[in-house]
Amino acid sequence: MSTFTESFERPQDPYDRRLALGASGLLRAANVADVLSAADVHVATRIAQLAGEPDDRVRLAVAMAVRGIRSGSVCIDLAQARATLLLADPGGDWPVLPDWRDAVRASLLVGAGRPLQWEFDLLYLDRYRTQEQQVRDDLRDRRAQPPPVVDRVALADGLDRLFAGGDPGQRHAAELAATGWTTVIGGGPGTGKTTTVARVLALLMGQPGARPRVAMAAPTGKAAARLQAAVQAQAVALSPADRHDLPTLTASTLHRLLGWLPGRSQRFRHDRDNRLPFDVVVVDETSMVSLTMMARLLEAVRPDARLILVGDPDQLASVEAGAVLADLVAGLTAVPAAPPATGSATGSATESAAGSAAGPGAVPPGPPAIAPARADAVALLDRTWRFGGDIAELAAAVRAGDADAALAVLARPGADVALIAPEDTAGAGAAVDAAVRPDVVGTAAAVRAAADAGEAQEALRRLDGHRVLCAHRSGPRGVTQWTYRIENWLAAEDLLPPHRLWYPGRPVLVTANDYTLRLFNGDVGVAVLTGGQLRVSFSQHGRIVDYAPGRLADVQTVHAMTVHRSQGSQFDRVTVVLPEADSPLCTRELLYTALTRAQTRVRLIGTEAEVRAAVARPAARASGLRLRMAGG
């Protein structure tokens, strides 16, 4: 049998930036096999040189720990590294696990005050283990405080009044948030999370004494705008006596809340020495919050301020390292039955709390046996109000990991969900065109008509009528290819002027934060004729702001977008382009997130095998935070 090194020998281009040409041994083989990037290899090599570490196995582990951060994992489990990082059998050169672990643990690179740490049989870069510990310690310290002082009579009256005849789960969540320092309110789209938040704020503002200072935030500008609009809409539905300051509350991005500092990507104006001046801090779409951002947030929130974390633990996690919301839900509601022999990996919160078989190539979700513990910190809402019927059934089947049930819903005649074979299936191209093109063209025509008439609000509303969502940015099923295809459709309908970058109705996505214009990564706008001039309009805090196209530096046309980018958004109809079954992005969380962006109809482009692969494979993110939270 060929060895790991020999299996991936290929001619080397001295100008190929993907290759670390000076690497040797296991690092070189992993780099040539595209398991490790050149940057991973260079970082590991330099760290090892500085410490005088000659062991090739240790250098490989260090490089994988660096790669893990880029892949969303906080740490690396050596027992799972071969299965999750390699696409082929590495052969005889791959390190033997027991000896590999012993070599790493004995290395001069590992230990107190050193760049790497070993805990839970997981290998951490020191910074990320420190952040996990800080998050655990800050939450534990908040919990150890005496509970907030609450007028129980006023609270009971408010609960009876605000939740009369409603969902008991929402009432329970509101009571927890009103009587505790830290509360996690979880649930899928349409389960009433922001309704609950609005009424929690009404309860707190209705307490005797000074009115609390409230901050609302979300990871992206789009999510913050949706949170603000939802809370303000709920405020209008309340009686005048319960509205208080709710109609005037605004929401911001987490970066703005914490105080972005130029040139400082990981530190903010507000920290442990300069706390946020708020009595209540609400964070929506917490599933998108990375471990580093959660650590910075907990540093900045005053110990005597209520912190309410809201989100869907079954959605995709942050694009950066960590799956904090799923870890918190699982860790605060479950404890391992026995000390784990190997590290944990975070799949969905349902996986972590209930345990199930992982899909092919996935890291197991951790210790399967659990017991209730400290569940009073978490409230999970499960009654869907926004959509029902077929979409709700499909979402529930995907979340539960039941591929047969999911396919049964997709095969139902006349359902609001459908599965269409992709173009790479023989004869399927015409079916994709016939299904998707009318939605795309109809939405673009409606946006164009509103933009030509100068109706910015209507153009933005029409833009949410339909969206194509892809797992990948590039490739035959990626955003780039679908954007090209859609633009050809629009050009054929005279909706896309030739050779013009800017035109009325052009939908754009902001791809980088612009603090001068107060536009943030993920904001969506549309070009509109305003007073005879073309302006690009965005919705901010319930009002329209517009800018000259020349002032926008980092924007791209957004006929299609990645599923990650769609988080925090809702569309009337959604077309989801599934990744191939062997893609690392073909996961349960991606499918669940994509289909729950829709309000009335979902169309999946893929095969039954791809649906089964996605449903069966929870996202594998190595993390120790769940175990830290469960352990106290």
Side-chain angles (χ1 to χ4, degrees):
M1 182 174 67
S2 63
T3 66
F4 176 47
T5 304
E6 293 169 346
S7 296
F8 298 107
E9 284 289 347
R10 68 184 184 194
Q12 293 186 5
D13 178 354
Y15 301 103
D16 189 343
R17 64 181 182 180
R18 297 172 299 175
L19 298 179
L21 299 179
S24 61
L26 291 170
L27 287 180
R28 177 180 179 275
N31 177 220
V32 171
D34 292 329
V35 171
L36 299 175
S37 71
D40 300 332
V41 173
H42 292 318
V43 171
T45 301
R46 185 57 177 156
I47 291 175
Q49 287 174 344
L50 290 174
E53 174 55 70
D55 195 318
D56 202 24
R57 297 168 300 175
V58 175
R59 295 185 179 210
L60 176 64
V62 175
M64 287 186 166
V66 175
R67 180 199 185 277
I69 299 300
R70 291 191 294 103
S71 304
S73 290
V74 174
C75 48
I76 185 72
D77 182 352
L78 299 184
Q80 299 294 332
R82 176 170 172 169
T84 58
L85 300 184
L86 295 177
L87 302 180
D89 184 359
D93 280 354
W94 189 254
V96 177
L97 182 60
D99 294 341
W100 193 13
R101 279 181 178 157
D102 291 343
V104 171
R105 295 177 68 175
S107 172
L108 293 174
L109 291 171
V110 178
R114 298 174 186 176
L116 290 105
Q117 306 296 328
W118 184 272
E119 189 175 6
F120 304 128
D121 272 350
L122 300 169
L123 182 63
Y124 287 85
L125 298 180
D126 179 71
R127 168 181 163 187
Y128 291 94
R129 177 175 176 269
T130 299
Q131 288 177 358
E132 274 196 357
Q133 289 179 315
Q134 182 218 309
V135 168
R136 188 274 314 273
D137 291 346
D138 283 344
L139 289 172
R140 181 191 59 195
D141 291 347
R142 290 175 60 81
R143 183 182 183 82
Q145 300 177 119
V149 177
V150 176
D151 185 313
R152 293 285 178 171
V153 174
L155 176 61
D157 289 344
L159 289 168
D160 290 341
R161 187 171 60 254
L162 293 168
F163 294 93
D167 182 358
Q170 293 181 13
R171 178 186 174 116
H172 173 65
E175 186 172 4
L176 291 180
T179 57
W181 292 120
T182 307
T183 308
V184 178
I185 301 177
T191 53
K193 297 188 297 294
T194 50
T195 298
T196 304
V197 166
R199 297 183 184 188
V200 168
L201 297 178
L203 283 173
L204 297 176
M205 290 178 179
Q207 285 282 302
R211 188 160 293 175
R213 295 163 293 180
V214 176
M216 301 193 303
T220 68
K222 179 74 171 178
R226 289 187 61 84
L227 171 62
Q228 176 178 313
V231 169
Q232 290 180 347
Q234 285 297 318
V236 173
L238 298 177
S239 67
D242 287 319
R243 286 178 192 167
H244 305 291
D245 296 332
L246 290 179
T248 62
L249 286 181
T250 60
S252 70
T253 63
L254 277 171
H255 282 81
R256 286 185 63 194
L257 175 69
L258 296 177
W260 175 77
L261 295 172
R264 302 287 300 277
S265 62
Q266 303 294 341
R267 288 290 175 180
F268 299 90
R269 183 172 296 109
H270 292 287
D271 55 20
R272 212 173 292 279
D273 297 320
N274 180 27
R275 304 276 191 168
L276 289 165
F278 300 104
D279 304 302
V280 182
V281 176
V282 177
V283 180
D284 197 15
E285 297 292 348
T286 310
S287 64
M288 300 165 64
V289 177
S290 67
L291 175 65
T292 298
M293 181 59 80
M294 182 59 69
R296 300 291 87 84
L297 174 67
L298 289 171
E299 285 179 344
V301 175
R302 295 197 338 255
D304 60 344
R306 288 177 175 85
L307 176 62
I308 304 172
L309 303 175
V310 185
D312 186 348
D314 292 304
Q315 280 190 20
L316 284 169
S318 165
V319 294
E320 299 177 50
V324 176
L325 182 62
D327 279 344
L328 291 183
V329 170
L332 289 171
T333 58
V335 295
T342 60
S344 72
T346 300
S348 70
T350 304
E351 282 285 325
S352 300
S356 78
V363 181
I370 55 176
R374 298 186 306 284
D376 58 323
V378 178
L380 299 178
L381 307 178
D382 56 10
R383 180 176 176 182
T384 300
W385 300 84
R386 181 179 302 157
F387 52 71
D390 302 319
I391 298 178
E393 283 189 53
L394 179 59
V398 171
R399 188 173 60 243
D402 190 339
D404 289 334
L407 289 170
V409 176
L410 288 166
R412 189 178 296 161
D416 294 328
V417 296
L419 178 65
I420 301 173
E423 286 186 308
D424 48 15
T425 302
V432 173
D433 273 6
V436 183
R437 183 168 179 167
D439 269 337
V440 168
V441 172
T443 297
V447 172
R448 176 66 183 270
D452 283 337
E455 299 173 356
Q457 188 72 55
E458 180 66 9
L460 288 167
R461 187 183 72 82
R462 292 286 190 173
L463 192 59
D464 287 341
H466 175 264
R467 188 63 50 86
V468 174
L469 304 180
C470 306
H472 296 279
R473 291 188 180 90
S474 57
R477 300 193 189 187
V479 169
T480 301
Q481 181 64 27
W482 268 91
T483 297
Y484 174 77
R485 180 179 190 170
I486 290 170
E487 287 183 337
N488 283 336
W489 288 345
L490 300 184
E493 301 289 340
D494 293 327
L495 294 170
L496 185 68
H499 312 301
R500 287 176 60 185
L501 176 63
W502 288 102
Y503 53 88
R506 181 193 176 192
V508 294
L509 174 75
V510 177
T511 58
N513 293 336
D514 187 329
Y515 292 91
T516 302
L517 300 182
R518 297 189 175 184
L519 293 176
F520 299 92
N521 190 355
D523 286 352
V524 173
V526 63
V528 177
L529 278 175
T530 304
Q533 294 185 329
L534 196 65
R535 308 281 290 182
V536 186
S537 298
F538 298 84
S539 178
Q540 286 186 355
H541 308 309
R543 62 187 182 90
I544 298 296
V545 296
D546 58 61
Y547 304 94
R551 297 189 67 189
L552 305 178
D554 297 293
V555 296
Q556 64 186 34
T557 303
V558 67
H559 296 302
M561 67 196 310
T562 62
V563 177
H564 264 106
R565 290 274 192 188
S566 74
Q567 286 183 272
S569 300
Q570 285 290 319
F571 310 100
D572 184 56
R573 303 174 308 284
V574 163
T575 296
V576 182
V577 184
L578 293 176
E580 291 84 352
D582 60 355
S583 167
L585 296 182
C586 189
T587 66
R588 184 182 307 168
E589 288 79 3
L590 181 131
L591 176 56
Y592 172 81
T593 300
L595 65 91
T596 55
R597 299 309 90 201
Q599 293 178 292
T600 65
R601 184 167 178 79
V602 173
R603 179 188 298 113
L604 302 181
I605 298 178
T607 65
E608 288 192 6
E610 288 159 358
V611 172
R612 288 188 179 278
V615 172
R617 184 185 297 140
R621 286 199 171 197
S623 164
L625 181 58
R626 176 170 68 90
L627 295 176
R628 294 182 200 281
M629 298 305 303

